[in-house]
Amino acid sequence: RAATTTTTTSASVAAFRPRTRPAPPGRASSRSRPLVMSSSSPSTDARVFDAGVPVSQLPWGADLARVSSSIASRDLEYADDDVPLRGYASFDARAVEETRKRGATGTGGGGLDGVVVLHTAIGPGEVFVRSCVDALASLGYAAAALDMFGLPECVFDAETRETAFGALRRDRSSAAKRVAAGVRALEAQPECGGVRCVVGFCLGGRCALDLARSGFGASVRGVVSFHGILDDPSDEGLPRSAVAANPPSVLIFHGEEDPFSTAAAKEACLADLRARGVATEFHGFPGVKHGFTRPEKTTEEDARAGFGYDAAAAEKSWTRCKAFIAETCE
């Protein structure tokens, strides 16, 4: 049985359409067009991501400051069975070249360690998610935001979200399978030498934990959940009889006042992970609500809905997350 390390820590959106470089003559396909970052690109300028909040205030704002002209990004088009999906991938071309020079090998035939990011209920086009991917690329990873919905735009109404994700919400194995399809898509890119870590926020946090439970992501060594939905999915398509042979380690960041994951649900989640042999590191932040990494969640309306930004929790969790990713890639 795997151990669970529990830490109690004191702690007090708009769609993004990346800019494109004109395709060279003879290259008409938009599937592989490069989407090139520059010093004036959306992730590095004074652009806001929601409610007038600049991206520099996101937990990875300081890492975004490192984004340079060598960071290239592009659409990541793939499918889960017959469902077409479109993610967003970002790489540091210099880091790729340095890795290849060192003769590194991996599932992709040589390349950077990969990290995938799973979006919130708003979808993969949100600046919050894509800026996180750019930040991870600036740290030397092959990074990608996966698509759990199969929709090109951000989703703000419950009916559209239910149509896109309702079946996967009820069949957790299918949700994990969709994550695994995205992992394989990033691993198929020449810049990636294998996906080592999956990071999820909110809805994406639950999907990341389900991947750890399922065993679908064979190359994945670590999973991170930021204010994810915590529960026991053993009666929702992920029975413990289907436990992964060598599950990845799990890192969970949770606001103890998160109304979307009650204390009972949290304990059920941790008990389920233990029963599956998943080594888990849990960080609980007393007095902290849902969505604590999001600096726009500061209004009274947000608080009534159970959301609340917490700068200390955001900084501590992102710092530990970066260290954890580095550990999984050793």
Side-chain angles (χ1 to χ4, degrees):
R1 293 167 67 96
T4 300
T5 302
T6 303
T7 303
T8 300
T9 306
S10 298
S12 56
V13 192
F16 169 32
R17 299 182 183 275
R19 299 173 183 173
T20 64
R21 176 190 292 169
R27 286 190 186 178
S29 172
S30 63
R31 179 180 295 272
S32 60
R33 71 181 186 274
L35 306 178
V36 180
M37 306 295 297
S38 70
S39 60
S40 61
S41 66
S43 285
T44 56
D45 62 15
R47 182 181 53 99
V48 299
F49 85 95
D50 190 13
V53 177
V55 294
S56 61
Q57 291 185 19
L58 291 167
W60 40 88
D63 299 305
L64 284 174
R66 300 167 44 142
V67 171
S68 68
S69 59
S70 65
I71 301 292
S73 54
R74 61 172 175 262
D75 290 345
L76 182 67
E77 296 188 5
Y78 60 105
D80 175 22
D81 291 335
D82 60 348
V83 179
L85 303 167
R86 178 179 293 179
Y88 169 84
S90 190
F91 319 89
D92 186 330
R94 290 178 190 154
V96 171
E97 184 61 26
E98 290 172 2
T99 299
R100 287 173 177 164
K101 286 180 179 178
R102 291 195 300 268
T105 60
T107 58
L112 304 175
D113 289 315
V115 181
V116 300
V117 179
L118 303 181
H119 58 78
T120 72
I122 296 174
E126 191 186 15
V127 172
F128 177 85
V129 172
R130 294 192 170 195
S131 64
C132 182
V133 168
D134 292 333
L136 289 166
S138 77
L139 296 172
Y141 301 107
L146 303 188
D147 179 4
M148 297 299 295
F149 289 169
L151 298 174
E153 304 294 341
C154 291
V155 179
F156 295 102
D157 68 281
E159 183 176 351
T160 301
R161 187 177 302 117
E162 178 63 20
T163 299
F165 191 71
L168 274 66
R169 188 191 306 278
R170 292 182 289 273
D171 182 357
R172 306 283 285 275
S173 180
S174 294
K177 175 174 166 289
R178 182 161 295 183
V179 177
V183 168
R184 292 192 299 273
L186 179 56
E187 290 182 331
Q189 306 307 303
E191 297 89 347
C192 182
V195 172
R196 308 301 177 215
C197 198
V198 175
V199 179
F201 296 86
C202 305
L203 171 67
R206 187 176 84 161
C207 294
L209 293 176
D210 285 350
L211 182 76
R213 294 171 169 119
S214 71
F216 288 145
S219 66
V220 176
R221 302 172 183 168
V223 162
V224 184
S225 170
F226 284 89
H227 39 83
I229 307 303
L230 306 182
D231 59 9
D232 176 357
S234 55
D235 293 328
E236 296 181 349
L238 272 177
R240 290 176 189 163
S241 59
V243 64
N246 295 294
S249 299
V250 162
L251 175 61
I252 298 174
F253 300 109
H254 173 69
E256 297 289 4
E257 297 301 320
D258 186 336
F260 302 103
S261 296
T262 64
K266 176 192 75 174
E267 294 303 327
C269 174
L270 295 176
D272 174 68
L273 292 170
R274 284 194 299 270
R276 295 172 188 266
V278 178
T280 304
E281 179 182 333
F282 178 88
H283 293 258
F285 298 101
V288 174
K289 297 179 180 293
H290 188 70
F292 56 80
T293 60
R294 304 190 62 110
E296 85 279 19
K297 297 297 184 183
T298 58
T299 68
E300 292 184 5
E301 182 180 0
D302 290 328
R304 287 194 296 270
F307 293 84
Y309 173 61
D310 190 284
E315 190 277 330
K316 290 176 181 177
S317 57
W318 179 243
T319 297
R320 175 61 189 127
C321 175
K322 289 191 291 183
F324 179 80
I325 293 173
E327 292 162 9
T328 66
C329 294
E330 290 178 350

